């Protein structure tokens, strides 16, 4: 009889220990959840102070290019570059300041025309990346006094290693005929 009484008591006792361990486990999970919540709140606060950071991604047009037609009478070579500028801001309101970290891409092109004995340096100008129906193109503008030149440049994903240059020339002299150049360039 004693064994019959002891077994249920031992069984109940083991079960209580198991329940106690489960309760301890739940308590540990609650404590971890509490600290995880505090950690998440800290990161949300940190992100609200930092706001966000932007990126400048180097385009495939970056670098030096030469005209595929070595006998061209137009543009013989070009250099395309991107410059990433810091435009971060500090915004204060009610004695609380936050810093917004931003960078902004700026695009430049430097053209060289066919001249003898050396190529004519058109200089470097800043342009813009186009969107919408002209997505993928970059537009630049040269005012050379005697002519205004509208320069467009781009690469195509399905033709890697090639760059297209399209220039519309508008002469100030009404007696000179305006014209368009459309040339392909490759890496030197």
């Amino acid at each position: 009889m004693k064994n019959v009484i002891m077994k249920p008591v031992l069984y109940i006792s083991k079960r209580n220990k198991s329940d106690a361990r489960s309760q301890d486990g739940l308590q540990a999970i609650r404590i971890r959840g509490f600290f995880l919540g505090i950690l998440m709140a800290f990161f949300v606060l940190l992100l609200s102070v930092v706001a966000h950071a932007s990126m400048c991604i180097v385009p495939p047009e970056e670098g030096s290019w030469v005209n595929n037609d070595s006998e061209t009478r137009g543009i013989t070579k070009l250099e395309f570059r991107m410059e990433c500028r810091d435009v971060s801001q500090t915004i204060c309101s009610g004695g609380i300041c936050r810093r917004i970290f931003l960078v902004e891409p700026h695009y430049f092109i430097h053209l060289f025309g066919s001249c003898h004995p050396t190529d004519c340096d058109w200089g470097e100008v800043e342009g813009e990346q186009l969107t919408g129906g002209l997505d993928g193109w970059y537009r630049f503008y040269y005012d050379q006094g005697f002519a205004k030149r509208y320069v467009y440049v781009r690469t195509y994903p399905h033709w890697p290693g090639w760059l297209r240059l399209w220039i519309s020339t508008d002469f100030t002299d009404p007696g000179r005929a305006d014209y368009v150049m459309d040339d392909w360039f490759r890496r030197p």
Side-chain angles (χ1 to χ4, degrees):
M1 210 40 116
K2 192 173 186 181
N3 283 342
V4 174
I5 296 173
M6 287 295 282
K7 284 186 179 179
V9 171
L10 286 176
Y11 176 73
I12 292 170
S13 175
K14 285 182 181 178
R15 186 172 176 202
N16 287 339
K17 283 184 182 179
S18 175
D19 287 345
R21 278 191 293 246
S22 294
Q23 291 299 323
D24 288 343
L26 287 174
Q27 186 66 23
I29 290 170
R30 286 185 190 122
I31 291 171
R32 276 186 253 144
F34 173 75
F35 284 112
L36 183 60
I38 290 175
L39 186 61
M40 293 294 287
F42 172 75
F43 282 117
V44 167
L45 179 63
L46 179 65
L47 288 175
S48 70
V49 171
V50 172
H52 70 281
S54 55
M55 296 187 316
C56 285
I57 299 171
V58 177
E61 291 82 3
E62 174 86 15
S64 297
W65 299 85
V66 294
N67 197 315
N68 191 50
D69 178 5
S70 60
E71 300 298 317
T72 186
R73 295 185 65 216
I75 302 300
T76 57
K77 64 182 176 179
L78 70 85
E79 295 168 1
F80 184 102
R81 73 179 180 89
M82 183 195 71
E83 184 178 292
C84 212
R85 293 185 186 164
D86 181 10
V87 292
S88 299
Q89 302 173 1
T90 300
I91 299 171
C92 297
S93 176
I96 298 174
C97 296
R98 63 186 174 128
R99 182 85 173 145
I100 299 175
F101 296 94
L102 297 169
V103 290
E104 185 176 80
H106 289 258
Y107 305 98
F108 301 88
I109 197 165
H110 193 157
L111 299 178
F112 297 87
S114 177
C115 292
H116 186 73
T118 60
D119 287 341
C120 301
D121 186 344
W122 284 28
E124 182 180 76
V125 295
E126 185 172 357
E128 63 182 331
Q129 183 178 24
L130 301 177
T131 58
L134 293 174
D135 192 33
W137 287 95
Y138 296 85
R139 178 175 49 203
F140 303 90
Y141 174 72
Y142 281 89
D143 185 349
Q144 297 173 314
F146 66 93
K148 295 178 181 1
R149 314 234 189 205
Y150 304 91
V151 177
Y152 294 82
V153 64
R154 74 164 298 164
T155 57
Y156 294 91
H158 49 281
W159 293 321
W162 290 92
L163 178 135
R164 184 176 178 190
L165 175 72
W166 188 91
I167 302 175
S168 174
T169 300
D170 181 17
F171 289 108
T172 54
D173 178 359
R176 288 186 76 176
D178 299 340
Y179 66 93
V180 170
M181 288 189 302
D182 190 0
D183 290 316
W184 288 91
F185 288 70
R186 58 181 167 69
R187 299 277 184 193

